[in-house]
Amino acid sequence: MRKQPSIHWATAINVRPITQAPIAVANGDGEDPPPELRFELPPFPGTLITVRSVPVRPRSNAPATVTPENNGEKIGTTVIAPQLTPQESAVAQQQANQSLGIAEKNLESVRGKKLNSTQSDLISKITGFIKDAREAAKIADWGRACSMAKKAQVLSEELAGSL
């Protein structure tokens, strides 16, 4: 059972607290003075050691400005690509062209149809991969061209299957 309060809340406003009179000290001093505290800090080390939990981010040079002469192309960029034998290059070129053809055929079959946001996002990714594959083919980087064309083909087949 619940215990009833000794003072009813309706009359609680009428209650006033009783303050205690200060206690007189026999010798008249009052209180002891507070102790004097001194903070002693250790000497500051000459160098600070930083501890990193992640590797340092590489710093890059300022980006090249776009002028009419370079048309936004990066000056002095190096491309690291595996060296392919002429036979491997020919096979990669054939596969890239075949994958690009399939991807473009699948994109053509989708034109004019009503698409949701996921499907339209897939189309933008496919066109980006096709563009990258064509750029790689222009510089005869058939390994990268084949890889980008294959990605475009796989995504286009997924898009065609979702319709």
Side-chain angles (χ1 to χ4, degrees):
M1 294 290 194
R2 295 179 65 175
K3 182 181 174 185
Q4 294 293 330
S6 60
I7 299 175
H8 294 286
W9 287 108
T11 58
I13 198 164
N14 297 331
V15 177
R16 298 188 190 273
I18 300 172
T19 58
Q20 294 181 350
I23 301 174
V25 179
N27 62 6
D29 267 342
E31 294 182 18
D32 291 336
E36 189 174 318
L37 301 175
R38 290 187 182 173
F39 295 107
E40 294 183 21
L41 299 174
F44 185 74
T47 58
L48 294 176
I49 299 173
T50 58
V51 178
R52 296 184 185 262
S53 61
V54 296
V56 179
R57 262 178 55 177
R59 298 185 187 262
S60 63
N61 295 337
T65 58
V66 177
T67 59
E69 292 84 29
N70 66 5
N71 293 329
E73 296 176 14
K74 295 180 183 176
I75 299 174
T77 57
T78 57
V79 177
I80 299 174
Q83 295 296 323
L84 300 176
T85 64
Q87 295 164 343
E88 291 173 335
S89 253
V91 169
Q93 181 179 3
Q94 182 183 8
Q95 289 176 350
N97 290 334
Q98 183 181 11
S99 293
L100 282 173
I102 293 170
E104 289 173 344
K105 184 180 84 171
N106 288 337
L107 278 180
E108 284 296 321
S109 69
V110 171
R111 284 190 200 230
K113 294 186 178 179
K114 187 171 180 165
L115 305 172
N116 61 25
S117 62
T118 306
Q119 292 167 335
S120 59
D121 184 43
L122 267 177
I123 287 178
S124 65
K125 287 180 183 179
I126 293 167
T127 54
F129 283 136
I130 289 173
K131 178 183 169 208
D132 291 344
R134 295 212 184 277
E135 287 175 3
K138 282 182 184 176
I139 59 172
D141 184 2
W142 295 110
R144 189 174 67 137
C146 183
S147 153
M148 293 293 149
K150 191 68 174 172
K151 289 177 183 180
Q153 177 188 352
V154 168
L155 286 179
S156 69
E157 288 170 351
E158 181 180 327
L159 176 66
S162 70
L163 295 177

Short mmCIF file of all heavy atoms in Angstrom, two decimals, residues 60-66:
data_model
loop_
_atom_site.label_atom_id
_atom_site.label_comp_id
_atom_site.label_asym_id
_atom_site.label_seq_id
_atom_site.Cartn_x
_atom_site.Cartn_y
_atom_site.Cartn_z
N SER A 60 48.25 16.23 -52.94
CA SER A 60 48.40 16.36 -54.38
C SER A 60 48.68 17.81 -54.72
O SER A 60 48.37 18.73 -53.96
CB SER A 60 47.14 15.88 -55.10
OG SER A 60 46.06 16.71 -54.74
N ASN A 61 49.26 18.02 -55.87
CA ASN A 61 49.53 19.37 -56.32
C ASN A 61 48.22 20.04 -56.69
O ASN A 61 47.20 19.41 -56.86
CB ASN A 61 50.46 19.34 -57.54
CG ASN A 61 51.81 18.78 -57.18
OD1 ASN A 61 52.20 18.82 -56.00
ND2 ASN A 61 52.53 18.26 -58.15
N ALA A 62 48.25 21.34 -56.84
CA ALA A 62 47.05 22.08 -57.22
C ALA A 62 46.57 21.60 -58.58
O ALA A 62 47.37 21.29 -59.46
CB ALA A 62 47.35 23.57 -57.27
N PRO A 63 45.26 21.50 -58.77
CA PRO A 63 44.74 21.02 -60.06
C PRO A 63 45.08 22.00 -61.18
O PRO A 63 45.16 23.21 -60.97
CB PRO A 63 43.23 20.93 -59.83
CG PRO A 63 42.96 21.84 -58.70
CD PRO A 63 44.19 21.85 -57.85
N ALA A 64 45.26 21.45 -62.36
CA ALA A 64 45.57 22.27 -63.53
C ALA A 64 44.35 23.10 -63.90
O ALA A 64 43.21 22.63 -63.82
CB ALA A 64 45.99 21.39 -64.69
N THR A 65 44.58 24.33 -64.28
CA THR A 65 43.46 25.17 -64.67
C THR A 65 43.06 24.85 -66.09
O THR A 65 43.88 24.44 -66.91
CB THR A 65 43.86 26.66 -64.57
OG1 THR A 65 45.00 26.87 -65.40
CG2 THR A 65 44.18 27.04 -63.15
N VAL A 66 41.79 25.06 -66.39
CA VAL A 66 41.27 24.76 -67.72
C VAL A 66 41.51 25.98 -68.61
O VAL A 66 41.05 27.08 -68.32
CB VAL A 66 39.77 24.43 -67.66
CG1 VAL A 66 39.21 24.18 -69.05
CG2 VAL A 66 39.55 23.23 -66.77
#
